[in-house]
Amino acid sequence: MSHTHTQLHKWKFVLDFFFEEKQNLRFDVGIPGKKCGTIIFTAEELSNCRDIATMQFCANKLDKKDFFGKSDPFLVFYRSNEDGTFTICHKTEVIKNNLNPVWQPFTIPVRALCNGDYDRTVKVDVYDWDRDGSHDFIGEFTTSYRELSRGQSQFNVYEVLNPKKKGKKKKYINSGTVRLVSVSCNPSQPTSLHYMSPYQMNAYAMALKAVGEIIQDYDSDKLFPAYGFGAKLPPDGKISHAFPLNFNTENPNCVGIEGVLEAYFQSLRTVQLYGPTNFAPVINQVARSAAEVTDGSQYFVLLMITDGVISDMAQTKEAVVNVSIHINIMLFLLSSAMEELDGDEVRVSSRGRFAERDIVQFVPFRDYIDRSGNQVLSMARLAKDVLAEIPDQLLSFMKSRGIEPRPPLPITSDSPSVSTTTATNTCTTKHCNPHP
């Protein structure tokens, strides 16, 4: 009996294309005069995306493939092409004899993963490594870079499915799960919301400046505690979800909004942005400061600026319920929506407890982008809408505690204030002056 074995080899390379020139390509394979197979050539124009992503994955309860051991799993990532085919773009290392492996973080150009199309399918195969190269297929799953960029969450836990096993076994569920542990993107690229352009401020900076320049006039000392969340900090790369942007844990205050912006830009040059993105730690950090002021001399506002990715929704709801007696939160979203935290219709609740007040103001930044390029007017409109609810919320807070307005005081450096804290995947808090 004879067997026919066909091998398909794939190579990829990048070359510059010039429309106005004839570019000859020559491929030499095999032995002259002997038929050695067929070359299939496909080409695709690469996008100008220059983002670099760093990701880490782990798996749980993968199928056992080795007779005398468990499995030696590794992952193979494929970029989908315009013609429906897939091209290998990355392989992880092999983890020996382990059904619950944790692979090392790896860095890959986003262009290699999806050609800059965040919604393009990314296919991932899970294999059991064999010494002879005949690796055993465990299963597969699909995702996209947009999904992956959301960070560690329930959305980035994937069932590993083996179509053949699923077709044969009625009770088949899956061949294990793969989970995204972390993801980060280099903000030095133009597609990043944190990109520091020499020509204009990024979205985070515009939001900080638009709101901060107005609310800072209601603060007496113009000192703003400013925090970042979702980053690896030097020198040891520890992940933090509430770090001072000026890196001074004893005094996180920045002088004026310009000081906040300066600290923000400096932190971008120092830290590595990293997922998951947790909101609860920075909310609780600000609440601890607010809880120390009980006489109504200060009112705290927390301005949170984020891309909308949230990894700890349950903990964040719990934090919002707990701090609703102390502070207001202005949640500034630069991309995806998060009305779930805005209590305009239904008060935020956690484990049967409801927030004492509607303290979260949800503002989608994208609604204020002026496509004509007139950012001055659009940012003014944004600041007006963001701050519109603050006066009524301040009054309801004071009335609920029976705090009466004090007699007018001479304007001095000791006058009470409104406290606004800022956080940008960043946040800022400070004190507003509740007594005119």
Side-chain angles (χ1 to χ4, degrees):
M1 180 183 292
S2 62
H3 296 273
T4 301
H5 181 66
T6 303
Q7 282 191 310
L8 181 62
H9 298 280
K10 291 185 179 181
W11 294 273
K12 61 175 180 176
F13 53 90
V14 178
L15 54 82
D16 293 326
F17 170 72
F18 302 98
F19 173 79
E20 70 280 6
E21 295 182 12
K22 180 179 180 181
Q23 296 171 263
N24 295 319
L25 300 176
R26 173 175 169 174
F27 299 89
D28 290 329
V29 180
I31 304 170
K34 183 178 180 180
K35 186 176 180 181
C36 298
T38 304
I39 295 178
I40 300 174
F41 181 78
T42 59
E44 181 178 5
E45 182 181 2
L46 293 178
S47 75
N48 289 323
C49 177
R50 295 292 188 271
D51 284 6
I52 306 293
T54 300
M55 294 180 278
Q56 184 180 19
F57 291 84
C58 67
N60 187 47
K61 296 182 180 179
L62 295 177
D63 282 354
K64 178 180 178 297
K65 289 292 187 178
D66 295 340
F67 186 76
F68 292 108
K70 297 179 180 178
S71 286
D72 305 321
F74 66 96
L75 302 177
V76 181
F77 290 77
Y78 301 85
R79 181 187 74 240
S80 59
N81 302 313
E82 291 181 335
D83 60 0
T85 61
F86 289 89
T87 301
I88 294 176
C89 57
H90 180 75
K91 289 183 181 179
T92 67
E93 77 280 13
V94 176
I95 304 292
K96 293 292 188 70
N97 200 34
N98 196 329
L99 301 181
N100 304 293
V102 179
W103 290 279
Q104 291 294 317
F106 64 90
T107 299
I108 184 172
V110 174
R111 187 168 68 175
L113 190 67
C114 62
N115 200 18
D117 180 356
Y118 284 17
D119 296 308
R120 183 178 294 202
T121 298
V122 175
K123 186 165 79 78
V124 184
D125 286 350
V126 186
Y127 283 97
D128 167 45
W129 178 85
D130 286 333
R131 189 180 301 276
D132 62 2
S134 60
H135 311 310
D136 299 317
F137 179 70
I138 295 177
E140 64 185 7
F141 64 91
T142 60
T143 182
S144 67
Y145 182 67
R146 188 176 301 281
E147 283 295 319
L148 294 172
S149 66
R150 300 175 74 173
Q152 184 190 62
S153 68
Q154 71 272 25
F155 301 106
N156 278 314
V157 178
Y158 301 95
E159 285 192 300
V160 178
L161 300 177
N162 188 318
K164 289 185 177 180
K165 291 185 69 173
K166 188 175 182 179
K168 292 179 180 178
K169 298 182 179 181
K170 291 183 178 180
K171 294 184 178 180
Y172 175 81
I173 299 176
N174 60 48
S175 296
T177 58
V178 169
R179 177 171 62 87
L180 176 69
V181 176
S182 62
V183 62
S184 64
C185 186
N186 185 345
S188 65
Q189 308 306 328
T191 51
S192 170
L193 291 171
H194 287 286
Y195 176 59
M196 293 186 290
S197 168
Y199 307 109
Q200 64 180 17
M201 289 191 295
N202 65 29
Y204 282 91
M206 282 196 290
L208 272 171
K209 189 174 178 67
V211 178
E213 285 188 341
I214 292 178
I215 201 170
Q216 71 175 353
D217 290 335
Y218 295 88
D219 177 70
S220 58
D221 59 14
K222 304 293 189 291
L223 296 178
F224 295 85
Y227 300 89
F229 52 99
K232 277 187 173 182
L233 308 185
D236 55 0
K238 182 180 179 181
I239 299 174
S240 175
H241 301 291
F243 62 93
L245 288 183
N246 64 4
F247 297 99
N248 187 337
T249 55
E250 299 298 322
N251 182 14
N253 290 325
C254 299
V255 181
I257 290 303
E258 290 303 320
V260 174
L261 288 169
E262 182 180 341
Y264 162 59
F265 290 131
Q266 182 57 41
S267 70
L268 284 181
R269 301 183 186 98
T270 307
V271 307
Q272 178 187 357
L273 303 183
Y274 215 76
T277 302
N278 297 337
F279 286 14
V282 79
I283 294 175
N284 291 327
Q285 172 80 23
V286 175
R288 284 191 288 270
S289 299
E292 296 174 1
V293 182
T294 58
D295 62 355
S297 62
Q298 294 180 2
Y299 184 73
F300 286 73
V301 175
L302 169 61
L303 169 62
M304 298 189 71
I305 305 175
T306 180
D307 62 1
V309 176
I310 181 169
S311 305
D312 63 339
M313 181 62 82
Q315 293 88 340
T316 296
K317 284 185 174 181
E318 179 78 4
V320 168
V321 171
N322 290 337
V323 307
S324 62
I325 61 173
H326 298 303
I327 67 175
N328 261 86
I329 300 174
M330 292 186 290
L331 185 56
F332 219 131
L333 301 185
L334 303 181
S335 57
S336 56
M338 200 181 302
E339 291 92 340
E340 192 172 349
L341 292 176
D342 193 334
D344 286 346
E345 301 297 331
V346 179
R347 195 70 55 82
V348 176
S349 64
S350 174
R351 297 190 293 182
R353 297 186 304 123
F354 286 82
E356 184 173 303
R357 301 176 297 133
D358 171 22
I359 65 166
V360 179
Q361 169 72 354
F362 162 74
V363 181
F365 183 82
R366 64 179 180 273
D367 292 352
Y368 296 86
I369 296 298
D370 191 322
R371 304 303 174 188
S372 67
N374 189 346
Q375 301 304 342
V376 175
L377 290 177
S378 60
M379 290 302 100
R381 184 168 58 90
L382 177 146
K384 177 183 176 182
D385 290 352
V386 168
L387 300 172
E389 294 186 11
I390 295 296
D392 287 342
Q393 289 169 335
L394 186 149
L395 287 174
S396 68
F397 172 83
M398 297 299 174
K399 288 180 179 179
S400 68
R401 279 150 188 76
I403 301 173
E404 297 290 337
R406 297 174 183 172
L409 296 174
I411 298 177
T412 68
S413 59
D414 297 325
S415 297
S417 58
V418 171
S419 206
T420 311
T421 297
T422 23
T424 64
N425 253 61
T426 300
C427 64
T428 304
T429 43
K430 215 35 213 145
H431 328 275
C432 299
N433 191 343
H435 307 295

